[in-house]
Amino acid sequence: MNTLGASEENIRELFSKAYRTAPSIVFIDEIDAIASKRENLQREMEKRIVTQLMSCMDQSSRLMQPAENSESSDDRPGYVLVIGATNRPDAVDPAIRRPGRFDREIVVGIPDESAREEILSVLTRNLKLDGSFDLQKIARSTPGFVGADLAALANKAGNLAMKRIIDERKHDLMSDHTEDWWREPWLPEEIDKLAIKMSDFEEAVKMVQPSSRREGFSSIPNVKWEDVGGLDVLRQEFERYIVRRIKYPEDYVGFGVNLETGFLLYGPPGCGKTLIAKAVANEAGANFIHIKGPELLNKYVGESELAVRTLFSRARTCSPCVLFFDEVDALTTKRGKEGGWVIERLLNQLLIELDGADQRQGVFVIGATNRPEVMDRAVLRPGRFGKLLYVPLPSADERVLILKALARKKPIDASVDLSAIARMEACENLSGADLSALINEAAMAALEEKLTSTGITFDAFTIKTSHFEAALRKVSPSVSDMQKKFYQRLSESFKAA
């Protein structure tokens, strides 16, 4: 209130009323609004409000002490319980967080899988569910969901069930030539069939975004393993260490496997390192945060480190989560170089988060780089980016698989032999990115031929072998022989280390 002293008077009146009606509970929601740290407050009025609240709480603790020599129950004070709630505990003045004021601090954290299952069982208690209903499966597919998110999920599933039921009824009645189908009364047997199915909840999970995932998270990529040509060895590694671990956590816990493995994908540019990380996140169905290396850098002292802490805090909140550091060499260059203070502080913070006091708890880290030789060796030990995986230029067989994966969404003519094209000498040393450019050039050549053809026909145009031959004359390898040898030597040195 604007009147001088009115806000303090309101607080005094609140506690006075609580004492008059004792035993009573005073619940102050969003207490950080009236009890923020006084050094951060600009106006004197706000500081006086904090002081008044502390004074009233001290008075309540004195009143709650039994009087000396008080025998009768009438002389005993009426108890007033004060409960505060906030989602910003660090913003509350420390003087109010001491014993005698707020004696107990209870952290209501984000529910884990078993807690989510219990919350869902409460939310669905009064809902009519159809057939076999697997609450554990829903709980596992909702990492990072809090109670309010799960309530929204149940509501959304109910809405989807209603829409499905009405659509089915409309279809049935319209097939009986009943135009005013919506006027038809519901029969008792129809009402008995109304229920929410498991499929409604599974559809709702895809549509409801949890509140903790509304900032900083990337959408789960739609890249599948089929879109990644070859690289089966890498796929098996990720299946063992990340995908199965997320899908069958109880088996890994049973065998005591608790190493939070970090992967570093390195190799020539354009070989599919980013694509692999996206496919892993898709296959595991985990939350996904895509960090482009340099975006964490900030010129102000402490801001880069704060960004790293915030990043891992978000990931832990919504575990299981895949953190993908693209161009990770930008953040992990060797320490001790002149003028590299910002990178050094950020790197130290990153090392602490990767393998420090705070366990990663279901946060899987994948890094990708073309320049592993410039990275600090402390980052490359087990527990951090400990598993070094070389992503080489594709072999002839892998080029066939990549071309077929890329051609899946293109109108390729039936006469085109992609296997023969991939094995041509002109395709030697072409990376995955080069092969993507090749197929796009062939598509462009086919499109230009269609646009410049004089006879207007409505037949479907396709990409023919001649278009691929024209494209091969334009596309050249982006990785030279010298670079290829350099990366091969580098991979051998990392294996020997």
Side-chain angles (χ1 to χ4, degrees):
M1 293 182 71
N2 292 328
T3 312
L4 192 65
S7 299
E8 296 94 298
E9 178 60 35
N10 285 341
I11 293 171
R12 286 196 298 272
E13 179 58 36
L14 172 71
F15 278 85
S16 175
K17 186 177 179 181
Y19 300 138
R20 289 198 303 271
T21 58
S24 59
I25 296 173
V26 176
F27 178 62
I28 308 171
D29 205 358
E30 307 297 348
I31 194 169
D32 53 278
I34 60 166
S36 295
K37 290 178 179 175
R38 283 167 288 181
E39 61 267 27
N40 296 343
L41 299 174
Q42 302 299 315
R43 294 185 296 175
E44 284 299 318
M45 183 193 77
E46 293 170 331
K47 293 177 183 177
R48 288 199 306 271
I49 291 170
V50 182
T51 310
Q52 181 63 68
L53 181 61
M54 287 192 283
S55 174
C56 287
M57 291 192 74
D58 285 342
Q59 186 186 357
S60 74
S61 63
R62 284 197 299 273
L63 286 170
M64 282 166 60
Q65 298 296 325
E68 289 184 21
N69 306 320
S70 61
E71 297 292 332
S72 67
S73 60
D74 295 339
D75 294 335
R76 290 176 186 170
Y79 283 93
V80 176
L81 180 65
V82 184
I83 303 174
T86 178
N87 43 24
R88 298 172 62 229
D90 294 336
V92 177
D93 195 294
I96 211 166
R97 295 176 67 180
R98 69 162 175 78
R101 288 166 186 164
F102 284 113
D103 298 82
R104 301 279 185 276
E105 290 196 1
I106 301 166
V107 179
V108 183
I110 288 180
D112 59 10
E113 188 182 312
S114 60
R116 289 197 299 273
E117 191 176 343
E118 284 186 44
I119 294 167
L120 282 166
S121 68
V122 172
L123 290 170
T124 55
R125 191 180 294 156
N126 298 323
L127 298 178
K128 191 175 178 185
L129 305 178
D130 179 37
S132 58
F133 212 82
D134 191 353
L135 285 179
Q136 187 182 13
K137 187 179 178 184
I138 300 168
R140 184 162 292 178
S141 62
T142 51
F145 279 59
V146 294
D149 299 325
L150 293 169
L153 177 71
N155 281 334
K156 189 68 182 174
N159 291 338
L160 291 172
M162 254 165 78
K163 184 178 183 302
R164 173 179 52 77
I165 291 160
I166 290 169
D167 287 347
E168 286 171 3
R169 188 168 191 266
K170 179 182 176 182
H171 180 266
D172 293 341
L173 292 174
M174 289 284 277
S175 62
D176 295 337
H177 306 291
T178 308
E179 292 298 328
D180 293 341
W181 62 271
W182 49 276
R183 290 179 185 273
E184 292 292 316
W186 288 76
L187 300 173
E189 54 268 25
E190 284 183 312
I191 292 170
D192 287 341
K193 289 180 184 175
L194 300 182
I196 301 172
K197 292 184 177 179
M198 180 71 182
S199 57
D200 297 319
F201 265 93
E202 288 172 340
E203 190 64 30
V205 167
K206 299 173 188 173
M207 301 169 80
V208 175
Q209 186 186 32
S211 49
S212 57
R213 212 166 65 201
R214 296 193 179 179
E215 186 185 355
F217 284 81
S218 310
S219 57
I220 293 175
N222 58 357
V223 177
K224 295 183 168 58
W225 282 124
E226 295 77 50
D227 302 321
V228 182
L231 302 174
D232 287 334
V233 175
L234 297 183
R235 178 177 178 173
Q236 287 168 10
E237 285 289 300
F238 284 116
E239 279 278 349
R240 286 172 61 207
Y241 284 95
I242 295 183
V243 177
R244 287 185 203 151
R245 173 117 184 240
I246 290 170
K247 288 187 174 178
Y248 314 109
E250 57 281 343
D251 294 338
Y252 281 75
V253 171
F255 280 91
V257 179
N258 59 3
L259 180 66
E260 306 292 0
T261 309
F263 289 85
L264 181 69
L265 299 169
Y266 71 98
C271 289
K273 296 183 287 292
T274 303
L275 208 62
I276 293 166
K278 289 182 176 180
V280 170
N282 180 291
E283 190 74 12
N287 292 308
F288 185 65
I289 303 180
H290 187 178
I291 306 104
K292 292 85 174 173
E295 71 184 12
L296 291 176
L297 299 176
N298 194 304
K299 65 179 179 179
Y300 294 106
V301 175
E303 286 300 314
S304 297
E305 299 92 301
L306 176 62
V308 172
R309 286 197 301 275
T310 305
L311 192 66
F312 277 86
S313 174
R314 279 182 191 149
R316 276 192 292 269
T317 295
C318 289
S319 67
C321 180
V322 173
L323 269 180
F324 175 51
F325 288 88
D326 212 353
E327 306 301 342
V328 71
D329 54 275
L331 309 175
T332 54
T333 48
K334 291 173 183 172
R335 290 171 286 185
K337 291 184 179 179
E338 191 177 345
W341 308 117
V342 175
I343 294 285
E344 282 201 17
R345 288 198 305 268
L346 188 148
L347 176 56
N348 290 333
Q349 184 67 51
L350 187 60
L351 293 175
I352 290 165
E353 292 292 347
L354 285 170
D355 188 31
D358 290 334
Q359 292 300 306
R360 276 198 267 138
Q361 302 160 348
V363 177
F364 303 93
V365 183
I366 303 173
T369 179
N370 308 323
R371 303 170 66 218
E373 73 280 3
V374 304
M375 292 174 65
D376 196 290
R377 286 286 166 161
V379 188
L380 303 178
R381 73 157 177 77
R384 291 166 182 168
F385 289 109
K387 288 199 79 66
L388 303 170
L389 298 175
Y390 179 50
V391 187
L393 286 170
S395 64
D397 291 336
E398 285 177 329
R399 287 199 299 272
V400 174
L401 294 170
I402 292 168
L403 269 184
K404 285 182 177 176
L406 291 167
R408 203 176 292 136
K409 296 175 184 175
K410 298 276 194 299
I412 307 292
D413 196 84
S415 63
V416 175
D417 186 356
L418 289 173
S419 179
I421 292 169
R423 295 175 195 281
M424 289 170 69
E425 191 178 341
C427 284
E428 284 286 329
N429 286 354
L430 288 188
S431 65
D434 297 332
L435 291 168
S436 178
L438 171 70
I439 211 160
N440 281 325
E441 281 291 344
M444 186 60 75
L447 178 63
E448 284 176 357
E449 186 181 300
K450 178 181 179 180
L451 295 175
T452 54
S453 60
T454 51
I456 300 172
T457 59
F458 295 94
D459 295 336
F461 270 74
T462 54
I463 304 169
K464 299 181 176 65
T465 307
S466 58
H467 302 134
F468 274 98
E469 289 168 353
L472 276 168
R473 289 194 289 272
K474 292 184 178 180
V475 174
S476 57
S478 55
V479 179
S480 65
D481 284 329
M482 191 181 292
Q483 285 176 305
K484 185 180 175 183
K485 287 174 185 171
F486 167 75
Y487 280 109
Q488 283 172 343
R489 285 197 304 271
L490 196 66
S491 72
E492 286 161 12
S493 72
F494 275 125
K495 281 174 187 172

